[in-house]
Each structure stands twice: as C-alpha cells, then as structure tokens.
Amino acid sequence: MLRSLFLVALLVGGGLTPGAANLFAADEVIKGDDGTQLSKVALDADSKRHGAYTAWFPGGKKVAEKSQYAHGKLHGKRLCFDQKGRPTADETWLDGSLIFPRSIAFIDATRKQIAIDTAPAMAALGPLTDIVGAAKPKDLELALIRIRTYRYLCFVPYEDITFNREYINLAQHAASVLVKIGSLTHTPSKPAGVEDAFFALAAKGCGESNLCQGSDLAGSVDRYMNDSDPSNIDRIGHRRWLLNPGMQQTGLGIEGAFSALYAFDQKRAAIPDYEFVSYPPRGYCPHDLFDASYAWHASFNPAHYDVAATATMAIYPLNAQLKRTGKALETDYAKVNLDGFGIPNAVISRPKTVSLSKNASYEVVISGLVPKGERTAEMSYIVSFY
C-alpha cells in the first residue's frame, strides 16, 4: 500500500523529512575523466545520499539533474534537463516512490508544445485530394492534437503518432457507408447501389476502427475516451484502442453525423516497457480532459501481469497531505475485462460521485493482480485533478 504520509512543504519546496539534521559522513562526488564534476550529493552517517543532488553533463558546466534525497531514497523534487537547459522531467517523490511523475506546469507546457508540433505532421501528410470526401486538414489536425494529448497524459508514446493515408481512406469509406446504413456497426451489410470495391474498403474500415455518431472529429476522440455509456462501459474498448502503446499511425474519416478512427495499427517497432496504462492517469490530470461521469480503468502489461477475474479497484479520497479521509468511494459499476482491446487485463470502476475540483486527490488501489516475476499482487497510485 502507498504510504499516505506526505508534507505540504514537499509539494511546494521539496524539503527533507524530519531528521534531516542527522550527521553527514561526507560528500559523494563523481568526476569525469577530465576531472570535472559529474555529480555531487551529501551522504548521511550511514553513507546514504541525503540532501540536494546535482548532476552535470560531461564538462561539468550544464546541469543535467537536480534532485532531493532522504537517507538514500529520492524524496522531493527531481528535475532533469537537456543540454539546452530545457526541462525533460519534473517529478515529485516520497520516500523512494514516484508520486507525481509530472508537475502541473510541465503538463500544461507540453500540451501547448503538442499543438505546435502537430502542424508540421499535417504538412508532411500533404493534400488529400486523392481520397474522396476526406476531412478538412484543420479538422484532422485538431483531432490529432487531441489523440496525442490523451496519449501523453496516459504515458504511452505520443510524439510520433501521425496519420497514414491508407488508414484515412479506410476510415472515410467506413464513415460513408455508415451514412448510407444510418447506424453504427462494425459489420455492415452492403447497401444497395454500393460498388463491391467501395464496400470492401468500407467493411474493412468499419471492422478495424472506432466508430462515432453525432460529433466532429476532435469531439469523437473525447467520446472514445469517455466510453462509459451502458453499451461500452463493460470493456471501454474504444479508449483502450486509442491508448494502445503499439499504435503509431491512425486515420480518421467523417461524413454527415458519422465518423471513424482507424484503431488496429501495430506499426510501433519498439514499445517502451510499462507496468500499466490508466485513465485518469496517475499523477496530475487536467479536469478538462476528464469528467465525473467517466469510468476509471487500468490495463496491465501482459508481459508482467495477469489479472484475476475477481480483481478490484478501490478509489480513496485524500486530503491536502495526501492522507485518506475515509472509506473508498461508492461505485455504480465495476468490471474486469480480459479481452484484447489494445491492452488486455483491464480493471474498470466508476465512482457514484467524484470531485474534479482543483487539488481533489485520490489513491487508486488495485487488488487481484497475478504478477509475473518479482512484483506484487496489489498496486496503488495517486490521481490529483486540477
């Protein structure tokens, strides 16, 4: 279980725990071959790191990391930088456990950068005049920004997510045939007057895409991430496909009230290792990208875990010191789904009432995991809205 001891001062200043005045043994100083310092930190009486830690890039002039340790464990702020001095990590640790993987400022800055970086990706796609009925480039761009942003928040690869022209064509054919049918289906029957070649692409598109009715393209991404209506909450498959770590490319199409997002891509050659993918994500979560009516879920890496059919997710409200204030929230839905919607092993829960106000924080505890290797059968993490 995650320890709930946490000082407000740690959140704002990164100070050490009580006992920081223990006698220091010495400084740990690591130098490069040229004699310049690569890192420096004080050691406590047991020769464990204790206090401010600084690391430099080779040459000893540019700071690579500034962190806080308490008796050998990271405890407080950990900041990392690239060689140009730009922040690459802004974390908060408690007694060796990573509590907030990103600061609010870091998340907000990255969201702005995602919007900036997506325009060149659209330019590289080029004109879509060869795809009949293709969506407007600006609409596709806004949807891609949304996809990248959700994936970033949930700690899955996002920067290189881009469009594939074949996938756009499939999604557009899917949307076009859905208009003719007048309803959503992943297994359409061929409408009268539709050519065989056209329908073959439409059927493939419908079968391999997330489908939506009644929204623009950017809004459809939000609806896939919601996925908490009675017909989808038992698996939240659209959300899980959108957060699939193996995805690298996608495509969207829209006609009338119907749209499609290609979801079956597995082109990512190297998937970074991970323990789980959750939404809302661990750490800070902006309230504009989540809603109190949404289901919560976590999907576990099948390379590291199996999940028992009896697994549970408990969500505990926390106070400003990140200490539990009572029992777990009551839920109106709970389910385990082991099907392969992107990642299998999904534990799903929806609280009856939950606050998304600034600094509303919760500890999520998932029990019933079947670990492979030296892992535990229970996992916990903190979600804090802003």
Side-chain angles (χ1 to χ4, degrees):
M1 296 286 292
L2 180 67
R3 289 177 56 191
S4 57
L5 298 173
F6 202 81
L7 301 177
V8 174
L10 182 63
L11 289 171
V12 298
L16 295 175
T17 55
N22 288 1
L23 293 176
F24 286 79
D27 284 346
E28 174 194 276
V29 178
I30 298 176
K31 294 185 177 182
D33 294 338
D34 60 356
T36 59
Q37 284 191 160
L38 294 180
S39 66
K40 180 179 180 179
V41 64
L43 302 178
D44 65 13
D46 296 320
S47 298
K48 295 180 180 179
R49 291 180 175 183
H50 190 74
Y53 169 86
T54 305
W56 292 269
F57 287 104
K61 295 182 179 180
K62 297 179 179 180
V63 174
E65 179 180 341
K66 295 180 75 68
S67 303
Q68 288 282 336
Y69 280 84
H71 304 297
K73 297 180 179 180
L74 280 165
H75 187 82
K77 280 286 188 178
R78 177 176 180 265
L79 303 172
C80 297
F81 308 89
D82 64 16
Q83 298 235 31
K84 294 183 178 180
R86 297 173 299 198
T88 58
D90 185 347
E91 305 168 344
T92 300
W93 290 73
L94 167 64
D95 197 25
S97 296
L98 179 59
I99 304 300
F100 293 110
R102 301 159 174 155
S103 69
I104 292 173
F106 194 85
I107 292 171
D108 289 345
T110 304
R111 290 183 67 179
K112 292 178 181 178
Q113 192 62 47
I114 288 171
I116 294 170
D117 293 342
T118 303
M122 289 302 305
L125 184 64
L128 298 173
T129 53
D130 58 320
I131 300 177
V132 177
K136 296 178 181 178
K138 189 60 179 180
D139 292 340
L140 288 169
E141 180 180 341
L142 292 174
L144 185 57
I145 290 171
R146 213 67 168 166
I147 294 168
R148 289 180 169 187
T149 300
Y150 279 118
R151 289 177 65 91
Y152 162 71
L153 286 176
C154 296
F155 300 92
V156 292
Y158 72 96
E159 290 178 290
D160 61 350
I161 291 288
T162 189
F163 287 129
N164 175 304
R165 300 179 73 87
E166 177 188 354
Y167 295 164
I168 292 176
N169 194 36
L170 287 171
Q172 188 58 49
H173 276 74
S176 296
V177 83
L178 291 176
V179 167
K180 293 177 173 60
I181 295 170
S183 62
L184 296 174
T185 175
H186 291 290
T187 56
S189 298
K190 188 162 90 75
V194 174
E195 295 181 358
D196 290 345
F198 183 97
F199 181 71
L201 291 172
K204 181 176 175 61
C206 287
E208 299 179 359
S209 299
N210 287 348
L211 305 176
C212 182
Q213 182 178 0
S215 179
D216 61 13
L217 289 181
S220 73
V221 177
D222 294 331
R223 294 178 73 169
Y224 297 140
M225 290 299 294
N226 175 353
D227 227 17
S228 303
D229 58 282
S231 63
N232 287 298
I233 194 172
D234 65 330
R235 57 198 181 279
I236 51 172
H238 301 94
R239 180 194 297 179
R240 288 159 64 191
W241 279 121
L242 201 62
L243 298 178
N244 179 18
M247 175 188 279
Q248 188 168 14
Q249 298 178 352
T250 187
L252 289 99
I254 187 168
E255 184 170 323
F258 295 87
S259 62
L261 182 152
Y262 189 84
F264 277 20
D265 177 75
Q266 294 283 357
K267 284 186 167 56
R268 188 170 302 282
I271 301 174
D273 193 25
Y274 64 95
E275 295 292 301
F276 66 97
V277 175
S278 64
Y279 183 71
R282 66 191 188 275
Y284 289 113
C285 179
H287 73 271
D288 65 311
L289 294 181
F290 196 77
D291 188 83
S293 65
Y294 288 10
W296 298 42
H297 99 280
S299 291
F300 292 83
N301 188 340
H304 300 319
Y305 296 95
D306 288 326
V307 175
T310 54
T312 60
M313 174 187 290
I315 303 168
Y316 295 90
L318 305 177
N319 61 17
Q321 290 75 40
L322 300 186
K323 184 176 180 179
R324 291 182 188 177
T325 59
K327 297 180 180 179
L329 300 179
E330 289 188 51
T331 61
D332 63 16
Y333 192 87
K335 178 80 172 181
V336 173
N337 182 278
L338 305 180
D339 298 327
F341 295 99
I343 308 172
N345 300 339
V347 183
I348 304 163
S349 182
R350 183 171 60 190
K352 286 184 177 179
T353 57
V354 62
S355 172
L356 304 186
S357 62
K358 186 175 182 180
N359 297 325
S361 299
Y362 302 88
E363 181 185 357
V364 181
V365 180
I366 299 173
S367 305
L369 304 177
V370 184
K372 301 175 182 179
E374 296 182 1
R375 290 175 169 84
T376 61
E378 184 175 280
M379 178 178 291
S380 63
Y381 56 93
I382 285 177
V383 174
S384 186
F385 294 100
Y386 74 94

